[in-house]
Structures are given as structure tokens and as C-alpha cells.
Amino acid sequence: MTYFQVNRKLLLMKIHYFLGIGGNAFGPFLTIIAKQRGYSAFIVGLLCMFQPMAGMLMRPIVGAVTDKYKCRRSVFIANIIITFVLVFLLSIIPGTTAKEEMNDLDVLKSPLFWMFCTTIILIRMFGMMNMVLEDTICMDLLGEDKNNYGKQRLWGSIGWSLFAIIYGTCVDWYSAGLDYKNYAPGFVIALLCFLLDIYVAFNLKIEQKNDTKIVASEVKKVFTEGKVLAFLLWVVFIGFFMSFIWNFVFWYLEDLSNEFHPEMKSWMKTLQGTALLIQCFGGEVPSFIFSSYILKRVDHITILSLVFFTFTVMFSLYTIIENPLWALPVELLNGLTFAMSYSTAISYAALIAPAGAEGTLQGVVGTAYTGIGTPIGSIVGGYMFKHIGSIATFKWMSVAAFFTCTIQIIVSYILRRSSKNDDVKDVKSNVQTKDDNIKEDINSTF
């Protein structure tokens, strides 16, 4: 008698999320690697702005192409292989260590900078393309249980946090006694993750129905609805605020250490990895686990309102911290903002997608999240960090998040009222039509 059954398809999907997203956990350290090379906050913001731009164009394209030509599996596997090659190239690009910040113009003239920049942009582009594919594949495997997406995606957060703390600890250990951090162990771990992920991808069963045709008019109709357009706008704003977390929190922690606690520098990478660990297990994992329960009972727009309010609280807390250790509890909120907003966006895209256009819709929503909002936030954040400092930046962001939350609640209320009025008009119209038909039948009888 079988007491324990495992859904092999979903098990492999979980393993892919664990390895694929875990392999990318070196990402938050890239801004600090750039800082170590002598690049200013503005240059890093510029780099972070460029990163998602290529992906912004490719996400909807790869979604639409794989929908039309039924080639999702081959493109998915190719993406992982290319990412492996690009991370290897990034690991062997000559590194520099600058004790003083370089002039921005000199940086932009440096071929080494553009080699570093181009490789990171390509890694991000293929990573964003893969997000469309893996989320679409996951939704296909879930079938009618799309609200259980969070239970699959949480394994990506677990992988991300575990490998982040391993990266940080290994880099601190490997760099003991050096005046700079050597990130070689982190790249080795990332390459091992992607190598194993390639094997998983080859064994993951991915099916696309050949008899499903995409009706372009149905896709266009989706994007003419006011509530859908409003939802995409709020997703853009979430991407904007998330960029400050993804790109500049590590920079902020180092600023706190330099100004108030220089004794923490020797184990700063471990602290930063711990921040991601807390963010995951304290915020993301519980949020992903309960996302299916919450999404069944709370509408998508209300969840986004809560996310914007959480940003307000989180940014406010950053402004009153002096010891980097006190930033760790705030990471609980970071996990909440990302996990709930991302689950909500992916679930909403799956719900509104016409048959056969699932990848297309995931691509559009993903572009709004990380392809439009994130690059705008990156360049704005880089400029603000350089000219007014990290603490002042977060003060302004807390105000911006609160203002956005207020506007979003008001607009959502108006749209709900408008939708209810339209429903009432439709009901009245149907009743009137039936009355007219009855009158015509009576007149024709007599």
C-alpha cells in the first residue's frame, strides 16, 4: 500500500526553482562588487537601470514566440545553458579594487567596465526570459490549482536565501586577511547550481497543446479593460520600490558600517547573506505558503494596497537605524512585499489570460514588474544615493510609498464603483430587452 505519493512533475519544478533562483543569489552582491571596483552609486544605478531593459523587450517576445511555435521546452533549456556560460565569463573578467571612488566619466570610458556591464546585462536578460518560461510552465503543471503557485515558488526563495548565506560566509572566509573581498567562491557555487539545473530541466516534462490557437482580439480586449491597466500600473510602482531593496540595501548596510560600526567590515558579507536568509524564511516562505489561502479570500487589488503600506513602514524604519544588525528584522517585511506582490501578479496574469496566450500575459506582467518599474527605480535610486545619501533617500521613499498607497486605494475604489454601475446597467439592459421581447410576442399574437 502506498502511503506517500510524490507528484514528480511538481517535485522537479520545485528543484528547478531551488537551483535556478538559488544560483542567481550572487545578484545582490553585484552592486557591492561594482562599489569595490570604484564605481559610484550613480554608475551602479545606471548599470542596474540597463540590466532589465533588454529583458523588458524580450520577456513579452519570448512569451509570445513560445506560445505560437510551441517551443517552450527547448528555449527554457537553452536559457539555462547560456546563463551558465555567462556566469562563467563574469567570474573571469579581470577585477580591480579601488580605495577611492573613480570619476564617473573615466568609468564610462573604461572597456573593462563595459565588459563587466554587458555580461551582467545579458545574465539579467536571460534570467528575466527564464522567469516567464518557468512561471508559465509551473502554471501549466498546476492546472486548475493555480493559487498553489506560491507553494512551488517558495523553493526558489529557500534556494536564494540558503545560497546567499553560503556565498557570503565563503567570501568572508576566503578573503580573510585581504584588503578586499574575493568573490571566487560565490561564482563557483553559482556555476554548480546552474549545472545541476540543466540536468533538472532536461528531465522536467513540459507539454504545450498544439490545438490551442491564440485569438489576437481576445488578448487586445484584456488590455483595454481599465482594471487591468490600473493593475499593471500598480505593478510598475511595486517594481520601482523593489529596486531600492534589490539594488541598494547592501550598499546602505555598508554605509551604516562605515559611519557607525567599522568593526563589522570583516564579516559584512556574512551579515548581508544573513539578511537574505531572514528575508526568505521570515518573510518570503511564509508568504508564499499562505498566498494560495490569501488569494482565495482577498482580492488582488487589496493585497497590492497592503504591499504599498508595507513599503512605507519599511523605508521609514531604515531611516532610524544606526547599527546594521537592526536592519535584519526589517528584512522580514522585505520578504512579505516581494512574495505577496509577485504571487499576486503571476496569479492575476494567469486568471486573465485567454487560452493559448498564457506566456504572453506572463511576459507583459513580468515586464511591468521588473522591466519598467525596476530600471526607473534603479537610476533614481543611484542618483539619490550619490547626491543626498542613503538615509535621506529612504526618507523620501517612505513619503513616496505612502502617497502611492493613498492614490492606489482611491483609484481602486473608483474603479470598483464604476464596475458595479456597469453591472447594474447590464442587468437593467437585459431586463429591458426581455420585456421588449415579451411585448413583441404579445403584439404578434394579437
Side-chain angles (χ1 to χ4, degrees):
M1 182 179 291
T2 303
Y3 293 97
F4 183 69
Q5 292 182 338
V6 176
N7 187 323
R8 188 172 181 273
K9 291 180 181 179
L10 292 178
L11 175 62
L12 288 176
M13 196 71 228
K14 290 180 176 71
I15 295 173
H16 159 71
Y17 277 129
F18 180 82
L19 293 171
I21 296 177
N24 277 296
F26 66 86
F29 294 97
L30 290 176
T31 55
I32 306 304
I33 293 174
K35 184 180 182 182
Q36 183 172 282
R37 289 172 174 255
Y39 304 156
S40 71
F42 176 74
I43 290 294
V44 172
L46 199 66
L47 173 59
C48 293
M49 182 190 73
F50 286 146
Q51 283 185 48
M53 292 184 75
M56 175 180 69
L57 298 174
M58 293 304 298
R59 284 187 78 149
I61 291 174
V62 75
V65 168
T66 53
D67 278 343
K68 182 175 181 179
Y69 295 104
K70 314 301 178 187
C71 56
R72 192 170 293 145
R73 183 177 186 276
S74 57
V75 175
F76 177 62
I77 294 171
N79 263 16
I80 302 173
I81 295 173
I82 293 171
T83 301
F84 173 85
V85 173
L86 289 170
V87 172
F88 174 75
L89 291 176
L90 181 64
S91 69
I92 61 175
I93 292 176
T96 58
T97 53
K99 294 184 178 180
E100 295 183 0
E101 190 175 281
M102 297 172 62
N103 180 275
D104 290 348
L105 191 59
D106 291 337
V107 172
L108 295 175
K109 291 179 180 178
S110 169
L112 195 61
F113 166 74
W114 288 107
M115 187 185 303
F116 178 74
C117 179
T118 303
T119 307
I120 291 175
I121 289 172
L122 289 173
I123 290 173
R124 183 67 182 276
M125 182 184 79
F126 283 99
M128 290 175 70
M129 290 165 58
N130 223 41
M131 287 171 68
V132 176
L133 297 169
E134 66 192 9
D135 288 338
T136 307
I137 291 166
C138 183
M139 285 296 181
D140 286 342
L141 293 176
L142 287 171
E144 297 298 322
D145 299 323
K146 298 188 188 304
N147 283 333
N148 286 327
Y149 165 79
K151 294 179 181 179
Q152 319 309 315
R153 178 57 178 77
L154 71 87
W155 290 96
S157 294
I158 293 173
W160 173 276
S161 60
L162 288 179
F163 285 115
I165 187 65
I166 293 171
Y167 291 169
T169 304
C170 289
V171 168
D172 278 340
W173 166 76
Y174 196 69
S175 306
L178 300 178
D179 294 331
Y180 61 93
K181 296 295 183 180
N182 189 325
Y183 290 88
F187 287 119
V188 171
I189 295 168
L191 290 170
L192 288 173
C193 286
F194 289 125
L195 193 62
L196 291 171
D197 194 29
I198 292 170
Y199 174 79
V200 172
F202 269 106
N203 287 275
L204 185 62
K205 192 172 182 180
I206 303 169
E207 296 179 352
Q208 282 183 268
K209 296 179 181 179
N210 293 320
D211 57 347
T212 304
K213 294 183 179 180
I214 304 171
V215 181
S217 60
E218 292 183 6
V219 177
K220 291 180 181 178
K221 184 179 178 181
V222 169
F223 293 113
T224 59
E225 296 182 22
K227 62 181 181 179
V228 174
L229 294 176
F231 187 87
L232 290 175
L233 178 62
W234 307 136
V235 170
V236 168
F237 274 102
I238 288 174
F240 175 85
F241 292 124
M242 283 304 306
S243 69
F244 285 80
I245 307 302
W246 290 336
N247 299 325
F248 297 108
V249 166
F250 280 10
W251 192 296
Y252 160 76
L253 292 176
E254 298 210 347
D255 282 351
L256 290 181
S257 176
N258 291 334
E259 186 171 352
F260 301 109
H261 292 275
E263 73 279 2
M264 292 185 174
K265 289 183 180 180
S266 62
W267 51 282
M268 180 53 63
K269 302 304 118 183
T270 303
L271 176 66
Q272 291 166 341
T274 303
L276 291 179
L277 189 72
I278 292 173
Q279 181 184 126
C280 167
F281 286 99
E284 287 186 18
V285 169
S287 297
F288 276 129
I289 289 174
F290 292 107
S291 63
S292 59
Y293 177 86
I294 295 171
L295 285 167
K296 288 177 182 177
R297 291 161 177 80
V298 183
D299 67 271
H300 296 75
I301 300 300
T302 302
I303 291 175
L304 296 191
S305 300
L306 293 173
V307 169
F308 284 127
F309 180 74
T310 305
F311 276 127
T312 303
V313 174
M314 184 171 56
F315 291 147
S316 298
L317 291 173
Y318 278 139
T319 66
I320 61 175
I321 292 171
E322 290 186 359
N323 191 324
L325 283 173
W326 283 107
L328 296 182
V330 183
E331 298 308 304
L332 295 172
L333 298 177
N334 286 342
L336 176 66
T337 52
F338 170 71
M340 284 311 306
S341 65
Y342 195 73
S343 294
T344 302
I346 296 301
S347 172
Y348 190 76
L351 289 173
I352 65 174
E358 295 85 359
T360 305
L361 268 293
Q362 293 293 349
V364 171
V365 171
T367 296
Y369 198 108
T370 57
I372 299 177
T374 300
I376 295 174
S378 298
I379 189 62
V380 171
Y383 182 87
M384 293 177 73
F385 260 60
K386 180 174 181 177
H387 291 282
I388 67 174
S390 54
I391 294 177
T393 296
F394 282 122
K395 283 183 180 178
W396 280 105
M397 283 302 103
S398 65
V399 174
F402 179 76
F403 181 76
T404 305
C405 181
T406 304
I407 296 298
Q408 189 257 349
I409 291 172
I410 294 172
V411 171
S412 299
Y413 175 77
I414 293 171
L415 287 173
R416 282 195 185 100
R417 289 292 300 269
S418 175
S419 177
K420 287 180 180 179
N421 290 337
D422 289 341
D423 291 341
V424 171
K425 288 179 181 178
D426 289 340
V427 171
K428 289 182 178 179
S429 177
N430 290 333
V431 171
Q432 184 64 44
T433 301
K434 289 180 180 179
D435 288 343
D436 292 341
N437 290 335
I438 292 171
K439 289 178 181 178
E440 288 179 5
D441 291 340
I442 293 173
N443 290 333
S444 62
T445 302
F446 292 97

